[in-house]
Amino acid sequence: METEFAIQHAELVTRTDLREAMHAMRSEMREAIHALDLRIESARSDLVRWVFVGTFGQAALLAGVVYFVLTYVRR
């Protein structure tokens, strides 16, 4: 019976074990959040770049249409 009690006692989790596990989980979560923040910033910068490219492309197309209308349609 004492050996069984010793085996059961060895499997118990202490507060220190819980604190260490919580600390490890928190550090893993911080790393994951940091990696996610980096991915979000990367996607955000790509989106801003494409918005500017689209805006300038649309402005160039509009300028071409206005030039065509003023040059060839008015005559």
Side-chain angles (χ1 to χ4, degrees), residues 6-73:
I7 292 171
Q8 294 294 328
H9 183 66
E11 293 179 359
L12 290 177
V13 177
T14 63
R15 288 183 185 171
T16 306
D17 294 336
L18 289 175
R19 282 189 202 119
E20 291 173 359
M22 291 282 289
H23 180 69
M25 287 175 55
R26 284 183 179 147
S27 64
E28 288 177 16
M29 287 295 293
R30 278 190 214 111
E31 291 173 5
I33 289 171
H34 180 67
L36 186 59
D37 285 342
L38 290 177
R39 290 182 65 192
I40 289 171
E41 283 299 318
S42 173
R44 183 176 167 198
S45 66
D46 288 344
L47 180 63
V48 168
R49 184 179 324 131
W50 281 109
V51 165
F52 281 125
V53 167
T55 302
F56 289 132
Q58 189 175 14
L61 181 65
L62 182 62
V65 168
V66 168
Y67 174 76
F68 176 78
V69 167
L70 291 177
T71 304
Y72 297 108
V73 176

